[in-house]
Amino acid sequence: MTESNATAVIVTHNSQDHIRATLMELARSRLPVIVVDNSSSDSTVAIVRSEFPEVTLQTNIVNVGFATAVNQAVATVRTDVVLLVNPDCVCPSATVDALLTALRDHPHAGIVGPRIRRPDGQIAISAHPFESLTTVVASRFGGSLLPVQLRRLVSGRTRRATYDACRETGGPVSVDWISGACMAVRVHLLRRIGGLDEGYFLYYEDEELCLQAWRNDVAVLYLPSAEAMHVGGGSSSADPARTWPHLYRSMLRFFALHRPATLAALRAVVLLRAMLGIGIAGMRLPIQPRTGAARARAWSEISRIALSSRPEKSWRKECT
């Protein structure tokens, strides 16, 4: 596999603060790059056009969502592999080479992703087992409040093994799913499964993609020896009221499709979390009025989604 057999695809939405660094690093890999902009209102498009004329730029007049934008780009790709990179993820050329080599050396694999680090150097847990009601409860109610080692102990054998793979060094490790912040995917796999599931506007497309890969007897690999740096939130609104509801709507959709037996319980969990969130946001209002109000709006919308007769339905609300 050579460099010419891969194309980098980036979906942007108000990504002016990060897209320059991402594209500068990809330029060192000499890969063709496609940027699909989802109706940015900032300078993202101007930066790409003026500073990176070699990049193929596709612009959408409305925000069609991440999955739809990726499929839009993949429809024009003529290479064997697409490298999906978030606009706030810096992927060094050595990492690009390592991901492509891993696909070349492991013909049974269709998706491979690197170790992800945060800007402070901390390793982000970016490989996971497929979600269950238990893991959702632990992450939404425990989260950063629980020490990492305690979360590891209560997370189950599969989750612990995946966690350890993220923390240790070594060769490729087979995992359930990896973060879509940076992943190399075989184009024939995407076309076989019909592309990313456009029922997800934002979030959960990566988990769904990996699940469909495994259902087609195609492996997903995590490569801890290669690294990329991910800032997080570089293609979404800073207002939680415009992004958090997408996360929970996508979560409910994933469970409706793949965990229907626990969907009702999950709806109750999401509603309880939203009620707690509204209460905590209210307490923040006197100290941080803007943040408290934004979070109260977000959790109010999430509670409405949880109470809906079809919480898993994908309403195409623009994330603008």
Side-chain angles (χ1 to χ4, degrees), residues 239-274:
D239 184 353
R242 303 189 182 204
T243 53
W244 292 3
H246 288 301
L247 171 65
Y248 285 90
R249 186 179 295 116
S250 294
M251 177 192 297
L252 288 163
R253 183 174 192 272
F254 182 85
F255 274 70
L257 291 173
H258 308 298
R259 305 281 191 272
T262 57
L263 178 60
L266 178 65
R267 288 177 63 176
V269 168
V270 172
L271 180 60
L272 177 58
R273 180 64 184 90

PDB file of all heavy atoms in Angstrom, residues 239-274:
ATOM      1  N   ASP A 239     -21.731  25.772  22.514  1.00  0.00           N
ATOM      2  CA  ASP A 239     -22.961  25.790  23.291  1.00  0.00           C
ATOM      3  C   ASP A 239     -23.453  24.367  23.493  1.00  0.00           C
ATOM      4  O   ASP A 239     -23.837  23.695  22.540  1.00  0.00           O
ATOM      5  CB  ASP A 239     -24.019  26.615  22.549  1.00  0.00           C
ATOM      6  CG  ASP A 239     -25.308  26.759  23.349  1.00  0.00           C
ATOM      7  OD1 ASP A 239     -25.425  26.115  24.416  1.00  0.00           O
ATOM      8  OD2 ASP A 239     -26.190  27.502  22.902  1.00  0.00           O
ATOM      9  N   PRO A 240     -23.466  23.856  24.739  1.00  0.00           N
ATOM     10  CA  PRO A 240     -23.906  22.471  24.956  1.00  0.00           C
ATOM     11  C   PRO A 240     -25.334  22.229  24.527  1.00  0.00           C
ATOM     12  O   PRO A 240     -25.703  21.102  24.190  1.00  0.00           O
ATOM     13  CB  PRO A 240     -23.724  22.277  26.467  1.00  0.00           C
ATOM     14  CG  PRO A 240     -23.702  23.652  27.048  1.00  0.00           C
ATOM     15  CD  PRO A 240     -23.074  24.518  25.997  1.00  0.00           C
ATOM     16  N   ALA A 241     -26.162  23.257  24.507  1.00  0.00           N
ATOM     17  CA  ALA A 241     -27.553  23.090  24.096  1.00  0.00           C
ATOM     18  C   ALA A 241     -27.659  22.692  22.634  1.00  0.00           C
ATOM     19  O   ALA A 241     -28.684  22.163  22.199  1.00  0.00           O
ATOM     20  CB  ALA A 241     -28.346  24.366  24.358  1.00  0.00           C
ATOM     21  N   ARG A 242     -26.589  22.921  21.872  1.00  0.00           N
ATOM     22  CA  ARG A 242     -26.608  22.592  20.447  1.00  0.00           C
ATOM     23  C   ARG A 242     -25.847  21.322  20.125  1.00  0.00           C
ATOM     24  O   ARG A 242     -25.863  20.869  18.991  1.00  0.00           O
ATOM     25  CB  ARG A 242     -26.032  23.760  19.642  1.00  0.00           C
ATOM     26  CG  ARG A 242     -26.783  25.054  19.886  1.00  0.00           C
ATOM     27  CD  ARG A 242     -26.350  26.135  18.930  1.00  0.00           C
ATOM     28  NE  ARG A 242     -27.046  27.393  19.217  1.00  0.00           N
ATOM     29  CZ  ARG A 242     -27.227  28.347  18.339  1.00  0.00           C
ATOM     30  NH1 ARG A 242     -26.785  28.207  17.106  1.00  0.00           N
ATOM     31  NH2 ARG A 242     -27.844  29.468  18.677  1.00  0.00           N
ATOM     32  N   THR A 243     -25.160  20.752  21.095  1.00  0.00           N
ATOM     33  CA  THR A 243     -24.382  19.542  20.821  1.00  0.00           C
ATOM     34  C   THR A 243     -24.757  18.369  21.721  1.00  0.00           C
ATOM     35  O   THR A 243     -24.893  17.242  21.242  1.00  0.00           O
ATOM     36  CB  THR A 243     -22.876  19.827  20.971  1.00  0.00           C
ATOM     37  OG1 THR A 243     -22.628  20.413  22.256  1.00  0.00           O
ATOM     38  CG2 THR A 243     -22.397  20.775  19.882  1.00  0.00           C
ATOM     39  N   TRP A 244     -24.909  18.600  23.014  1.00  0.00           N
ATOM     40  CA  TRP A 244     -25.189  17.491  23.919  1.00  0.00           C
ATOM     41  C   TRP A 244     -26.440  16.704  23.525  1.00  0.00           C
ATOM     42  O   TRP A 244     -26.435  15.473  23.619  1.00  0.00           O
ATOM     43  CB  TRP A 244     -25.316  17.995  25.354  1.00  0.00           C
ATOM     44  CG  TRP A 244     -24.035  18.496  25.958  1.00  0.00           C
ATOM     45  CD1 TRP A 244     -22.819  18.600  25.342  1.00  0.00           C
ATOM     46  CD2 TRP A 244     -23.857  18.978  27.289  1.00  0.00           C
ATOM     47  NE1 TRP A 244     -21.891  19.128  26.207  1.00  0.00           N
ATOM     48  CE2 TRP A 244     -22.498  19.367  27.407  1.00  0.00           C
ATOM     49  CE3 TRP A 244     -24.704  19.135  28.382  1.00  0.00           C
ATOM     50  CZ2 TRP A 244     -21.979  19.891  28.592  1.00  0.00           C
ATOM     51  CZ3 TRP A 244     -24.193  19.652  29.565  1.00  0.00           C
ATOM     52  CH2 TRP A 244     -22.836  20.021  29.668  1.00  0.00           C
ATOM     53  N   PRO A 245     -27.521  17.362  23.104  1.00  0.00           N
ATOM     54  CA  PRO A 245     -28.698  16.568  22.709  1.00  0.00           C
ATOM     55  C   PRO A 245     -28.410  15.580  21.591  1.00  0.00           C
ATOM     56  O   PRO A 245     -28.994  14.491  21.554  1.00  0.00           O
ATOM     57  CB  PRO A 245     -29.707  17.637  22.272  1.00  0.00           C
ATOM     58  CG  PRO A 245     -29.338  18.836  23.084  1.00  0.00           C
ATOM     59  CD  PRO A 245     -27.830  18.807  23.119  1.00  0.00           C
ATOM     60  N   HIS A 246     -27.496  15.934  20.683  1.00  0.00           N
ATOM     61  CA  HIS A 246     -27.138  14.996  19.615  1.00  0.00           C
ATOM     62  C   HIS A 246     -26.505  13.731  20.188  1.00  0.00           C
ATOM     63  O   HIS A 246     -26.741  12.622  19.705  1.00  0.00           O
ATOM     64  CB  HIS A 246     -26.175  15.649  18.623  1.00  0.00           C
ATOM     65  CG  HIS A 246     -26.822  16.685  17.752  1.00  0.00           C
ATOM     66  ND1 HIS A 246     -27.879  16.405  16.922  1.00  0.00           N
ATOM     67  CD2 HIS A 246     -26.547  18.001  17.585  1.00  0.00           C
ATOM     68  CE1 HIS A 246     -28.230  17.503  16.276  1.00  0.00           C
ATOM     69  NE2 HIS A 246     -27.434  18.481  16.667  1.00  0.00           N
ATOM     70  N   LEU A 247     -25.675  13.897  21.223  1.00  0.00           N
ATOM     71  CA  LEU A 247     -25.030  12.741  21.843  1.00  0.00           C
ATOM     72  C   LEU A 247     -26.068  11.771  22.394  1.00  0.00           C
ATOM     73  O   LEU A 247     -26.017  10.562  22.127  1.00  0.00           O
ATOM     74  CB  LEU A 247     -24.084  13.198  22.953  1.00  0.00           C
ATOM     75  CG  LEU A 247     -23.502  12.099  23.838  1.00  0.00           C
ATOM     76  CD1 LEU A 247     -22.608  11.178  23.020  1.00  0.00           C
ATOM     77  CD2 LEU A 247     -22.728  12.699  25.014  1.00  0.00           C
ATOM     78  N   TYR A 248     -27.018  12.292  23.147  1.00  0.00           N
ATOM     79  CA  TYR A 248     -28.000  11.411  23.776  1.00  0.00           C
ATOM     80  C   TYR A 248     -29.009  10.870  22.767  1.00  0.00           C
ATOM     81  O   TYR A 248     -29.460   9.723  22.895  1.00  0.00           O
ATOM     82  CB  TYR A 248     -28.679  12.145  24.931  1.00  0.00           C
ATOM     83  CG  TYR A 248     -27.773  12.239  26.131  1.00  0.00           C
ATOM     84  CD1 TYR A 248     -26.907  13.323  26.294  1.00  0.00           C
ATOM     85  CD2 TYR A 248     -27.737  11.231  27.079  1.00  0.00           C
ATOM     86  CE1 TYR A 248     -26.048  13.393  27.380  1.00  0.00           C
ATOM     87  CE2 TYR A 248     -26.887  11.291  28.176  1.00  0.00           C
ATOM     88  CZ  TYR A 248     -26.045  12.375  28.322  1.00  0.00           C
ATOM     89  OH  TYR A 248     -25.186  12.430  29.401  1.00  0.00           O
ATOM     90  N   ARG A 249     -29.353  11.659  21.768  1.00  0.00           N
ATOM     91  CA  ARG A 249     -30.241  11.144  20.735  1.00  0.00           C
ATOM     92  C   ARG A 249     -29.572  10.000  19.986  1.00  0.00           C
ATOM     93  O   ARG A 249     -30.194   8.962  19.703  1.00  0.00           O
ATOM     94  CB  ARG A 249     -30.626  12.258  19.768  1.00  0.00           C
ATOM     95  CG  ARG A 249     -31.663  11.864  18.734  1.00  0.00           C
ATOM     96  CD  ARG A 249     -32.020  13.021  17.823  1.00  0.00           C
ATOM     97  NE  ARG A 249     -32.671  14.087  18.565  1.00  0.00           N
ATOM     98  CZ  ARG A 249     -32.161  15.308  18.713  1.00  0.00           C
ATOM     99  NH1 ARG A 249     -30.967  15.593  18.202  1.00  0.00           N
ATOM    100  NH2 ARG A 249     -32.821  16.232  19.363  1.00  0.00           N
ATOM    101  N   SER A 250     -28.289  10.163  19.671  1.00  0.00           N
ATOM    102  CA  SER A 250     -27.555   9.108  18.979  1.00  0.00           C
ATOM    103  C   SER A 250     -27.398   7.874  19.860  1.00  0.00           C
ATOM    104  O   SER A 250     -27.486   6.739  19.388  1.00  0.00           O
ATOM    105  CB  SER A 250     -26.186   9.620  18.528  1.00  0.00           C
ATOM    106  OG  SER A 250     -26.315  10.619  17.533  1.00  0.00           O
ATOM    107  N   MET A 251     -27.154   8.087  21.146  1.00  0.00           N
ATOM    108  CA  MET A 251     -27.058   6.971  22.082  1.00  0.00           C
ATOM    109  C   MET A 251     -28.348   6.161  22.086  1.00  0.00           C
ATOM    110  O   MET A 251     -28.334   4.920  21.989  1.00  0.00           O
ATOM    111  CB  MET A 251     -26.770   7.483  23.490  1.00  0.00           C
ATOM    112  CG  MET A 251     -26.708   6.405  24.569  1.00  0.00           C
ATOM    113  SD  MET A 251     -26.711   7.115  26.233  1.00  0.00           S
ATOM    114  CE  MET A 251     -25.173   8.040  26.217  1.00  0.00           C
ATOM    115  N   LEU A 252     -29.473   6.843  22.178  1.00  0.00           N
ATOM    116  CA  LEU A 252     -30.761   6.159  22.194  1.00  0.00           C
ATOM    117  C   LEU A 252     -31.015   5.436  20.876  1.00  0.00           C
ATOM    118  O   LEU A 252     -31.579   4.342  20.857  1.00  0.00           O
ATOM    119  CB  LEU A 252     -31.874   7.161  22.495  1.00  0.00           C
ATOM    120  CG  LEU A 252     -31.899   7.669  23.942  1.00  0.00           C
ATOM    121  CD1 LEU A 252     -32.733   8.939  24.053  1.00  0.00           C
ATOM    122  CD2 LEU A 252     -32.431   6.598  24.879  1.00  0.00           C
ATOM    123  N   ARG A 253     -30.585   6.028  19.788  1.00  0.00           N
ATOM    124  CA  ARG A 253     -30.759   5.363  18.494  1.00  0.00           C
ATOM    125  C   ARG A 253     -29.929   4.089  18.419  1.00  0.00           C
ATOM    126  O   ARG A 253     -30.384   3.054  17.939  1.00  0.00           O
ATOM    127  CB  ARG A 253     -30.373   6.305  17.347  1.00  0.00           C
ATOM    128  CG  ARG A 253     -30.614   5.696  15.962  1.00  0.00           C
ATOM    129  CD  ARG A 253     -30.364   6.706  14.856  1.00  0.00           C
ATOM    130  NE  ARG A 253     -30.871   6.176  13.594  1.00  0.00           N
ATOM    131  CZ  ARG A 253     -30.172   5.412  12.767  1.00  0.00           C
ATOM    132  NH1 ARG A 253     -28.917   5.096  13.073  1.00  0.00           N
ATOM    133  NH2 ARG A 253     -30.701   4.966  11.651  1.00  0.00           N
ATOM    134  N   PHE A 254     -28.687   4.151  18.906  1.00  0.00           N
ATOM    135  CA  PHE A 254     -27.829   2.973  18.892  1.00  0.00           C
ATOM    136  C   PHE A 254     -28.456   1.838  19.697  1.00  0.00           C
ATOM    137  O   PHE A 254     -28.474   0.685  19.265  1.00  0.00           O
ATOM    138  CB  PHE A 254     -26.446   3.325  19.449  1.00  0.00           C
ATOM    139  CG  PHE A 254     -25.469   2.185  19.426  1.00  0.00           C
ATOM    140  CD1 PHE A 254     -24.732   1.911  18.288  1.00  0.00           C
ATOM    141  CD2 PHE A 254     -25.286   1.365  20.540  1.00  0.00           C
ATOM    142  CE1 PHE A 254     -23.830   0.852  18.248  1.00  0.00           C
ATOM    143  CE2 PHE A 254     -24.394   0.309  20.517  1.00  0.00           C
ATOM    144  CZ  PHE A 254     -23.665   0.047  19.360  1.00  0.00           C
ATOM    145  N   PHE A 255     -28.990   2.177  20.862  1.00  0.00           N
ATOM    146  CA  PHE A 255     -29.611   1.142  21.690  1.00  0.00           C
ATOM    147  C   PHE A 255     -30.913   0.646  21.068  1.00  0.00           C
ATOM    148  O   PHE A 255     -31.243  -0.545  21.183  1.00  0.00           O
ATOM    149  CB  PHE A 255     -29.842   1.670  23.105  1.00  0.00           C
ATOM    150  CG  PHE A 255     -28.646   1.503  24.002  1.00  0.00           C
ATOM    151  CD1 PHE A 255     -27.506   2.273  23.799  1.00  0.00           C
ATOM    152  CD2 PHE A 255     -28.646   0.573  25.026  1.00  0.00           C
ATOM    153  CE1 PHE A 255     -26.389   2.120  24.613  1.00  0.00           C
ATOM    154  CE2 PHE A 255     -27.533   0.408  25.845  1.00  0.00           C
ATOM    155  CZ  PHE A 255     -26.399   1.176  25.635  1.00  0.00           C
ATOM    156  N   ALA A 256     -31.660   1.521  20.417  1.00  0.00           N
ATOM    157  CA  ALA A 256     -32.892   1.074  19.753  1.00  0.00           C
ATOM    158  C   ALA A 256     -32.581   0.067  18.650  1.00  0.00           C
ATOM    159  O   ALA A 256     -33.317  -0.903  18.447  1.00  0.00           O
ATOM    160  CB  ALA A 256     -33.639   2.272  19.171  1.00  0.00           C
ATOM    161  N   LEU A 257     -31.459   0.273  17.969  1.00  0.00           N
ATOM    162  CA  LEU A 257     -31.071  -0.624  16.879  1.00  0.00           C
ATOM    163  C   LEU A 257     -30.439  -1.917  17.384  1.00  0.00           C
ATOM    164  O   LEU A 257     -30.693  -2.992  16.819  1.00  0.00           O
ATOM    165  CB  LEU A 257     -30.085   0.088  15.948  1.00  0.00           C
ATOM    166  CG  LEU A 257     -30.638   1.245  15.114  1.00  0.00           C
ATOM    167  CD1 LEU A 257     -29.508   1.947  14.369  1.00  0.00           C
ATOM    168  CD2 LEU A 257     -31.684   0.747  14.113  1.00  0.00           C
ATOM    169  N   HIS A 258     -29.624  -1.815  18.448  1.00  0.00           N
ATOM    170  CA  HIS A 258     -28.780  -2.952  18.819  1.00  0.00           C
ATOM    171  C   HIS A 258     -28.968  -3.461  20.246  1.00  0.00           C
ATOM    172  O   HIS A 258     -28.481  -4.545  20.569  1.00  0.00           O
ATOM    173  CB  HIS A 258     -27.312  -2.575  18.606  1.00  0.00           C
ATOM    174  CG  HIS A 258     -27.023  -2.035  17.246  1.00  0.00           C
ATOM    175  ND1 HIS A 258     -27.210  -2.785  16.105  1.00  0.00           N
ATOM    176  CD2 HIS A 258     -26.587  -0.802  16.840  1.00  0.00           C
ATOM    177  CE1 HIS A 258     -26.893  -2.038  15.050  1.00  0.00           C
ATOM    178  NE2 HIS A 258     -26.508  -0.847  15.473  1.00  0.00           N
ATOM    179  N   ARG A 259     -29.628  -2.691  21.106  1.00  0.00           N
ATOM    180  CA  ARG A 259     -29.876  -3.112  22.482  1.00  0.00           C
ATOM    181  C   ARG A 259     -31.335  -2.827  22.849  1.00  0.00           C
ATOM    182  O   ARG A 259     -31.618  -2.184  23.861  1.00  0.00           O
ATOM    183  CB  ARG A 259     -28.957  -2.351  23.456  1.00  0.00           C
ATOM    184  CG  ARG A 259     -27.464  -2.441  23.177  1.00  0.00           C
ATOM    185  CD  ARG A 259     -26.886  -3.759  23.661  1.00  0.00           C
ATOM    186  NE  ARG A 259     -25.434  -3.737  23.628  1.00  0.00           N
ATOM    187  CZ  ARG A 259     -24.712  -4.083  22.570  1.00  0.00           C
ATOM    188  NH1 ARG A 259     -25.322  -4.472  21.450  1.00  0.00           N
ATOM    189  NH2 ARG A 259     -23.382  -4.033  22.614  1.00  0.00           N
ATOM    190  N   PRO A 260     -32.291  -3.279  22.037  1.00  0.00           N
ATOM    191  CA  PRO A 260     -33.697  -2.903  22.284  1.00  0.00           C
ATOM    192  C   PRO A 260     -34.229  -3.368  23.632  1.00  0.00           C
ATOM    193  O   PRO A 260     -35.116  -2.719  24.200  1.00  0.00           O
ATOM    194  CB  PRO A 260     -34.446  -3.553  21.114  1.00  0.00           C
ATOM    195  CG  PRO A 260     -33.557  -4.666  20.646  1.00  0.00           C
ATOM    196  CD  PRO A 260     -32.155  -4.163  20.861  1.00  0.00           C
ATOM    197  N   ALA A 261     -33.685  -4.454  24.159  1.00  0.00           N
ATOM    198  CA  ALA A 261     -34.185  -4.964  25.436  1.00  0.00           C
ATOM    199  C   ALA A 261     -33.908  -4.006  26.590  1.00  0.00           C
ATOM    200  O   ALA A 261     -34.618  -4.031  27.606  1.00  0.00           O
ATOM    201  CB  ALA A 261     -33.568  -6.331  25.733  1.00  0.00           C
ATOM    202  N   THR A 262     -32.888  -3.171  26.447  1.00  0.00           N
ATOM    203  CA  THR A 262     -32.542  -2.244  27.528  1.00  0.00           C
ATOM    204  C   THR A 262     -32.851  -0.791  27.171  1.00  0.00           C
ATOM    205  O   THR A 262     -32.468   0.119  27.902  1.00  0.00           O
ATOM    206  CB  THR A 262     -31.044  -2.367  27.883  1.00  0.00           C
ATOM    207  OG1 THR A 262     -30.249  -2.121  26.705  1.00  0.00           O
ATOM    208  CG2 THR A 262     -30.724  -3.747  28.420  1.00  0.00           C
ATOM    209  N   LEU A 263     -33.569  -0.569  26.063  1.00  0.00           N
ATOM    210  CA  LEU A 263     -33.851   0.806  25.647  1.00  0.00           C
ATOM    211  C   LEU A 263     -34.697   1.542  26.683  1.00  0.00           C
ATOM    212  O   LEU A 263     -34.422   2.700  27.006  1.00  0.00           O
ATOM    213  CB  LEU A 263     -34.554   0.812  24.289  1.00  0.00           C
ATOM    214  CG  LEU A 263     -34.949   2.200  23.759  1.00  0.00           C
ATOM    215  CD1 LEU A 263     -33.724   3.084  23.592  1.00  0.00           C
ATOM    216  CD2 LEU A 263     -35.698   2.070  22.432  1.00  0.00           C
ATOM    217  N   ALA A 264     -35.735   0.896  27.206  1.00  0.00           N
ATOM    218  CA  ALA A 264     -36.593   1.560  28.190  1.00  0.00           C
ATOM    219  C   ALA A 264     -35.793   1.951  29.430  1.00  0.00           C
ATOM    220  O   ALA A 264     -35.957   3.057  29.968  1.00  0.00           O
ATOM    221  CB  ALA A 264     -37.759   0.652  28.568  1.00  0.00           C
ATOM    222  N   ALA A 265     -34.909   1.057  29.875  1.00  0.00           N
ATOM    223  CA  ALA A 265     -34.078   1.363  31.044  1.00  0.00           C
ATOM    224  C   ALA A 265     -33.126   2.512  30.737  1.00  0.00           C
ATOM    225  O   ALA A 265     -32.885   3.387  31.580  1.00  0.00           O
ATOM    226  CB  ALA A 265     -33.307   0.125  31.478  1.00  0.00           C
ATOM    227  N   LEU A 266     -32.591   2.505  29.524  1.00  0.00           N
ATOM    228  CA  LEU A 266     -31.680   3.582  29.146  1.00  0.00           C
ATOM    229  C   LEU A 266     -32.410   4.922  29.120  1.00  0.00           C
ATOM    230  O   LEU A 266     -31.863   5.939  29.556  1.00  0.00           O
ATOM    231  CB  LEU A 266     -31.061   3.294  27.776  1.00  0.00           C
ATOM    232  CG  LEU A 266     -30.128   4.390  27.251  1.00  0.00           C
ATOM    233  CD1 LEU A 266     -28.900   4.525  28.144  1.00  0.00           C
ATOM    234  CD2 LEU A 266     -29.712   4.109  25.812  1.00  0.00           C
ATOM    235  N   ARG A 267     -33.634   4.938  28.610  1.00  0.00           N
ATOM    236  CA  ARG A 267     -34.403   6.173  28.602  1.00  0.00           C
ATOM    237  C   ARG A 267     -34.561   6.708  30.029  1.00  0.00           C
ATOM    238  O   ARG A 267     -34.446   7.914  30.260  1.00  0.00           O
ATOM    239  CB  ARG A 267     -35.777   5.934  27.982  1.00  0.00           C
ATOM    240  CG  ARG A 267     -35.750   5.710  26.490  1.00  0.00           C
ATOM    241  CD  ARG A 267     -37.122   5.417  25.945  1.00  0.00           C
ATOM    242  NE  ARG A 267     -38.031   6.540  26.132  1.00  0.00           N
ATOM    243  CZ  ARG A 267     -39.281   6.567  25.669  1.00  0.00           C
ATOM    244  NH1 ARG A 267     -39.764   5.516  25.013  1.00  0.00           N
ATOM    245  NH2 ARG A 267     -40.042   7.616  25.851  1.00  0.00           N
ATOM    246  N   ALA A 268     -34.810   5.818  30.963  1.00  0.00           N
ATOM    247  CA  ALA A 268     -34.951   6.237  32.359  1.00  0.00           C
ATOM    248  C   ALA A 268     -33.637   6.790  32.898  1.00  0.00           C
ATOM    249  O   ALA A 268     -33.621   7.798  33.625  1.00  0.00           O
ATOM    250  CB  ALA A 268     -35.426   5.060  33.207  1.00  0.00           C
ATOM    251  N   VAL A 269     -32.528   6.139  32.545  1.00  0.00           N
ATOM    252  CA  VAL A 269     -31.209   6.608  32.974  1.00  0.00           C
ATOM    253  C   VAL A 269     -30.929   7.996  32.408  1.00  0.00           C
ATOM    254  O   VAL A 269     -30.457   8.899  33.120  1.00  0.00           O
ATOM    255  CB  VAL A 269     -30.119   5.607  32.537  1.00  0.00           C
ATOM    256  CG1 VAL A 269     -28.730   6.220  32.699  1.00  0.00           C
ATOM    257  CG2 VAL A 269     -30.218   4.322  33.338  1.00  0.00           C
ATOM    258  N   VAL A 270     -31.207   8.186  31.123  1.00  0.00           N
ATOM    259  CA  VAL A 270     -30.970   9.486  30.483  1.00  0.00           C
ATOM    260  C   VAL A 270     -31.840  10.560  31.125  1.00  0.00           C
ATOM    261  O   VAL A 270     -31.380  11.685  31.383  1.00  0.00           O
ATOM    262  CB  VAL A 270     -31.239   9.397  28.973  1.00  0.00           C
ATOM    263  CG1 VAL A 270     -31.196  10.789  28.330  1.00  0.00           C
ATOM    264  CG2 VAL A 270     -30.205   8.479  28.302  1.00  0.00           C
ATOM    265  N   LEU A 271     -33.099  10.228  31.417  1.00  0.00           N
ATOM    266  CA  LEU A 271     -33.986  11.206  32.040  1.00  0.00           C
ATOM    267  C   LEU A 271     -33.479  11.583  33.432  1.00  0.00           C
ATOM    268  O   LEU A 271     -33.463  12.773  33.794  1.00  0.00           O
ATOM    269  CB  LEU A 271     -35.401  10.646  32.123  1.00  0.00           C
ATOM    270  CG  LEU A 271     -36.449  11.572  32.757  1.00  0.00           C
ATOM    271  CD1 LEU A 271     -36.567  12.866  31.968  1.00  0.00           C
ATOM    272  CD2 LEU A 271     -37.797  10.862  32.839  1.00  0.00           C
ATOM    273  N   LEU A 272     -33.048  10.591  34.202  1.00  0.00           N
ATOM    274  CA  LEU A 272     -32.516  10.875  35.534  1.00  0.00           C
ATOM    275  C   LEU A 272     -31.276  11.752  35.448  1.00  0.00           C
ATOM    276  O   LEU A 272     -31.123  12.716  36.211  1.00  0.00           O
ATOM    277  CB  LEU A 272     -32.203   9.567  36.255  1.00  0.00           C
ATOM    278  CG  LEU A 272     -31.558   9.699  37.649  1.00  0.00           C
ATOM    279  CD1 LEU A 272     -32.449  10.505  38.583  1.00  0.00           C
ATOM    280  CD2 LEU A 272     -31.280   8.305  38.224  1.00  0.00           C
ATOM    281  N   ARG A 273     -30.393  11.423  34.488  1.00  0.00           N
ATOM    282  CA  ARG A 273     -29.176  12.236  34.315  1.00  0.00           C
ATOM    283  C   ARG A 273     -29.532  13.664  33.914  1.00  0.00           C
ATOM    284  O   ARG A 273     -28.896  14.623  34.381  1.00  0.00           O
ATOM    285  CB  ARG A 273     -28.268  11.601  33.251  1.00  0.00           C
ATOM    286  CG  ARG A 273     -26.975  12.379  32.999  1.00  0.00           C
ATOM    287  CD  ARG A 273     -26.117  12.379  34.240  1.00  0.00           C
ATOM    288  NE  ARG A 273     -24.914  13.190  34.078  1.00  0.00           N
ATOM    289  CZ  ARG A 273     -24.831  14.476  34.374  1.00  0.00           C
ATOM    290  NH1 ARG A 273     -25.908  15.119  34.836  1.00  0.00           N
ATOM    291  NH2 ARG A 273     -23.703  15.150  34.234  1.00  0.00           N
ATOM    292  N   ALA A 274     -30.545  13.821  33.077  1.00  0.00           N
ATOM    293  CA  ALA A 274     -30.961  15.156  32.660  1.00  0.00           C
ATOM    294  C   ALA A 274     -31.520  15.945  33.836  1.00  0.00           C
ATOM    295  O   ALA A 274     -31.235  17.145  33.996  1.00  0.00           O
ATOM    296  CB  ALA A 274     -31.987  15.054  31.544  1.00  0.00           C
TER     297      ALA A 274
END
